Amino acid sequence: MNQEMVSTIAGLLGGLAVFIYGMNLMSEGLQKAAGEKMKKILSVLTKNPLVGMLAGALVTAVLQSSSATTVMVIGFVSAGLMTLPQAISVIFGANIGTTMTAQIIAFSIDDFIWPIVFIGFVLYFFPKKEQLKNIGQTIFAFGLLFVGISTMSSVMKPLAGSAVFVHLIEQVAHIPALGVLVGTLMTLVVQSSSATIAVLQNFASQPMADGVTSMLGLTGAIPILLGDNIGTTITALLASVGQSRKAKRTALAHCVFNITGTFIFIWFVPWYAKFIQFISPKGPEIQVISRQIANAHTCFNITNTLLWLPLIPLMVKIVMTILPESKKDLAEKPLYEPHYLDNNVLQQPEAAIRLATMEMTRITEYVSDMAEKAKQAFLHEDKDAMRQVDQLEDIVDILQDRVTGYLSSLCKTGSLTQNQSARVSGMIRAVSDIERVGDQYMSITNFAKLKSEKEYTFTEQAIKELQEGFEHVRNMLELTVKALHDADTQTARLVVHQQESVEDLERRLSKKHMERLNLGSCSPENTVAYTDVLHDLECIGEYCSDIAEMVLDEDKSQHKVERLQEL
């Protein structure tokens, strides 16, 4: 291998590396700049197919990767937050959104690349205001995209003079199936269709000896483009490994969408190329072919989506037939296993936060179940209820550890905004509070065991008072679950307000117990158990209030960010 070939390969790989780095950096910057708006976009993913498709396109435009969107959707499907038809519509939109990168690349801004990089650098590294830094990061990364493209373009120019290379290009250009295979393999290796399409646009922009005609031509580029669309599905397939059957079906739907579209379009490449040339800017081929490829990419995905959108039920039947239900799928996950957490989604903070919130809600529901069992255990000396509280306590401890680990891993990604970091910090404290509520109910159950062993008895009035305390706190816990699950600030305020009534209740019942002691109607031996259970109930109220405060703090942060963005 001669020096020129080594230099060409090194330049191509280096330019590709800069391009991919710039694209990932731009995705991170866009996510941070979009901030809380991503939460609103994600909230409409589960609506009707048309809205899901539009939301999928918008999310992908922010993430700069259809694979990233598909991986996120797979996580939602696996968690049960989305149905398969809903997920399919979002994937259709993701395939449209991913064409945005090729459209951006098609612009010729060679004279402005370095000023863009410099402006982005200044905004990225010097301002202290986070929103300005995020915008700067996006601009800086945008400039790096074109630095990578420019580098690849410069090292490709000598290839036009290589007879061997020109012969290989001619083979690909005249055998569409070979072009599809080349495009698929390129994307399988690079793991980014946007990157391989950028390479394709650069290759196609290199002139033949006449200085006007493209080495590849649009008819030669389209099959490779179709292959790129197939290759990008491998990321989703890898993300579905180890996931539920529903998640695998979602990844398979992505494959079916691109493969069927390719199979249809491959028969009409010459006519499709003429249509793209008709709707694209006119001029010398090497000057307009990059835009033509971008338009071919966009039109392919829009047309394929329009074909499949009314046929979503058929797509569901296809993937259900290929991957039917199995006994393993029907079996429920063990209670101690997280049902919502997905490490593949950690690079999309808002999606990961949403999944963690759902897992926290699930833990709170177990704690709510502990509340009823602990009450039965203490008031009625129910041995079965005591055993169930023990089991639920172990489950809550395990899940709390898993959620805390998941949120800690999210912090380590370095992709969180200041507001998101504050929210995650609040969630870590909240899940710890949830686990402490479980500890308090475990403490009450331990008193129930002691009460049973020593045959303590309470007066009828004391039992009624304790029942009142249990019911009051149980109602508060149920409201906390609702506030957490729905991000319901009104309910959260109600929980915080009820904390005062729990404190009043504890003081009132303690006073009544002391009055009974003075009258001799209550045994002194019961005092420790009675007052400690009241204290446990008061602590539970405090923890519920803390969790509700987390919901309110998150809402306040949201409004603060929105006001800053308006300014």
Side-chain angles (χ1 to χ4, degrees):
M1 187 179 292
N2 58 40
Q3 184 66 33
E4 184 179 354
M5 183 59 70
V6 171
S7 179
T8 299
I9 293 173
L12 180 60
L13 294 177
L16 185 61
V18 172
F19 176 87
I20 293 175
Y21 174 71
M23 190 170 63
N24 290 337
L25 193 64
M26 187 165 72
S27 171
E28 183 182 311
L30 282 169
Q31 283 193 74
K32 288 180 177 179
E36 305 306 311
K37 287 185 173 62
M38 276 295 289
K39 188 196 298 185
K40 295 179 180 178
I41 297 171
L42 294 178
S43 69
V44 302
L45 288 181
T46 57
K47 294 187 182 293
N48 64 64
L50 183 59
V51 174
M53 181 197 74
L54 294 174
L58 192 55
V59 169
T60 306
V62 173
L63 299 181
Q64 286 293 296
S65 169
S66 62
S67 296
T69 303
T70 306
V71 167
M72 182 178 68
V73 169
I74 286 171
F76 284 178
V77 170
S78 185
L81 300 179
M82 292 179 73
T83 64
L84 184 57
Q86 289 168 341
I88 289 171
S89 69
V90 175
I91 287 171
F92 290 170
N95 280 277
I96 295 174
T98 195
T99 66
M100 181 65 68
T101 309
Q103 292 290 350
I104 292 172
I105 293 168
F107 286 103
S108 179
I109 60 168
D110 290 353
D111 295 336
F112 307 101
I113 293 175
W114 293 113
I116 289 172
V117 170
F118 178 73
I119 292 169
F121 172 81
V122 171
L123 292 176
Y124 183 22
F125 283 91
F126 294 108
K128 294 182 179 180
K129 189 176 179 181
E130 185 186 25
Q131 188 67 7
L132 200 57
K133 288 179 71 71
N134 295 335
I135 294 171
Q137 178 179 337
T138 304
I139 296 172
F140 178 64
F142 178 76
L144 286 185
L145 279 180
F146 285 91
V147 170
I149 292 167
S150 178
T151 302
M152 288 188 285
S153 180
S154 63
V155 300
M156 287 179 194
K157 287 178 180 177
L159 294 177
S162 170
V164 175
F165 185 77
V166 171
H167 177 70
L168 289 173
I169 290 297
E170 287 176 352
Q171 294 295 316
V172 173
H174 292 91
I175 306 175
L178 182 59
V180 172
L181 179 62
V182 169
T184 302
L185 291 175
M186 284 171 61
T187 309
L188 284 175
V189 172
V190 179
Q191 286 290 290
S192 170
S193 62
S194 294
T196 52
I197 290 170
V199 172
L200 176 63
Q201 287 172 295
N202 272 280
F203 265 128
S205 298
Q206 302 309 312
M208 298 288 282
D210 60 8
V212 176
T213 307
S214 166
M215 281 201 310
L216 187 58
L218 186 58
T219 54
I222 288 174
I224 299 175
L225 177 69
L226 298 177
D228 288 337
N229 279 277
I230 294 174
T232 194
T233 63
I234 191 64
T235 305
L237 289 173
L238 290 173
S240 70
V241 174
Q243 299 274 31
S244 67
R245 186 62 62 100
K246 291 178 182 178
K248 290 184 173 68
R249 290 186 190 121
T250 305
L252 181 60
H254 191 205
C255 293
V256 172
F257 175 83
N258 284 306
I259 291 172
T260 54
T262 298
F263 182 77
I264 293 170
F265 274 69
I266 198 70
W267 304 101
F268 305 100
V269 169
W271 296 277
Y272 184 51
K274 288 180 181 178
F275 169 73
I276 295 300
Q277 289 166 345
F278 175 75
I279 66 171
S280 300
K282 305 299 185 287
E285 188 175 36
I286 59 166
Q287 292 181 15
V288 299
I289 194 166
S290 182
R291 176 64 61 196
Q292 290 174 349
I293 291 172
N295 289 344
H297 190 206
T298 301
C299 287
F300 165 75
N301 283 291
I302 290 176
T303 305
N304 206 20
T305 296
L306 293 175
L307 289 172
W308 270 112
L309 197 59
L311 299 175
I312 287 179
L314 176 61
M315 177 70 84
V316 171
K317 285 184 179 179
I318 291 171
V319 296
M320 289 283 287
T321 301
I322 297 173
L323 290 174
E325 293 283 2
S326 67
K327 291 181 179 179
K328 183 179 179 181
D329 299 319
L330 296 173
E332 293 186 3
K333 280 186 177 181
L335 296 181
Y336 56 83
E337 282 290 331
H339 288 189
Y340 298 103
L341 306 184
D342 185 349
N343 290 329
N344 292 314
V345 183
L346 286 173
Q347 293 302 321
Q348 286 81 54
E350 282 300 335
I353 289 172
R354 185 179 181 186
L355 293 177
T357 301
M358 294 301 296
E359 198 68 55
M360 286 172 61
T361 304
R362 178 170 165 251
I363 300 173
T364 312
E365 288 168 351
Y366 286 141
V367 171
S368 185
D369 194 22
M370 288 178 71
E372 183 60 31
K373 303 302 179 187
K375 172 185 155 187
Q376 292 174 9
F378 192 86
L379 297 180
H380 307 295
E381 298 182 11
D382 187 330
K383 296 282 196 299
D384 186 53
M386 293 178 192
R387 284 193 296 272
Q388 290 183 56
V389 171
D390 287 341
Q391 293 168 356
L392 287 169
E393 165 69 2
D394 291 338
I395 292 167
V396 168
D397 286 347
I398 292 170
L399 290 177
Q400 184 255 344
D401 185 61
R402 296 291 293 274
V403 171
T404 301
Y406 186 79
L407 291 171
S408 299
S409 297
L410 180 58
C411 291
K412 290 178 183 177
T413 62
S415 57
L416 301 182
T417 63
Q418 290 179 3
N419 182 53
Q420 287 169 339
S421 294
R423 286 165 59 197
V424 170
S425 177
M427 290 172 72
I428 290 174
R429 291 195 301 272
V431 76
S432 179
D433 286 335
I434 294 168
E435 190 271 337
R436 289 191 183 107
V437 172
D439 288 344
Q440 299 302 143
Y441 279 119
M442 190 69 232
S443 173
I444 291 172
T445 304
N446 288 333
F447 277 118
K449 295 173 183 176
L450 184 65
K451 174 173 170 280
S452 176
E453 290 171 3
K454 297 193 174 182
E455 298 182 350
Y456 287 160
T457 57
F458 290 93
T459 64
E460 185 177 340
Q461 184 60 33
I463 292 293
K464 285 182 180 179
E465 291 170 358
L466 286 172
Q467 185 133 11
E468 180 186 357
F470 275 111
E471 288 301 323
H472 191 91
V473 173
R474 172 65 186 273
N475 179 60
M476 194 174 177
L477 185 57
E478 288 176 350
L479 290 174
T480 304
V481 174
K482 183 179 185 301
L484 188 59
H485 182 271
D486 301 333
D488 187 339
T489 54
Q490 186 174 350
T491 302
R493 290 189 188 96
L494 183 59
V495 172
V496 173
H497 178 70
Q498 285 192 351
Q499 168 57 19
E500 296 177 8
S501 62
V502 172
E503 292 174 355
D504 290 340
L505 180 71
E506 193 267 345
R507 285 192 292 267
R508 177 166 57 84
L509 297 187
S510 293
K511 184 178 179 181
K512 285 186 176 183
H513 180 70
M514 294 307 296
E515 289 173 355
R516 286 193 298 273
L517 278 175
N518 292 333
L519 293 173
S521 60
C522 193
S523 172
E525 290 82 5
N526 297 341
T527 299
V528 173
Y530 185 90
T531 55
D532 279 0
V533 168
L534 284 182
H535 178 69
D536 286 332
L537 292 175
E538 183 189 6
C539 288
I540 290 168
E542 289 177 359
Y543 292 137
C544 287
S545 179
D546 289 343
I547 297 166
E549 287 282 7
M550 186 272 291
V551 175
L552 292 174
D553 287 343
E554 184 173 327
D555 183 65
K556 289 175 186 175
S557 298
Q558 165 72 18
H559 288 306
K560 183 178 179 181
V561 170
E562 289 177 351
R563 285 197 299 271
L564 288 173
Q565 288 174 343
E566 288 173 1
L567 293 173

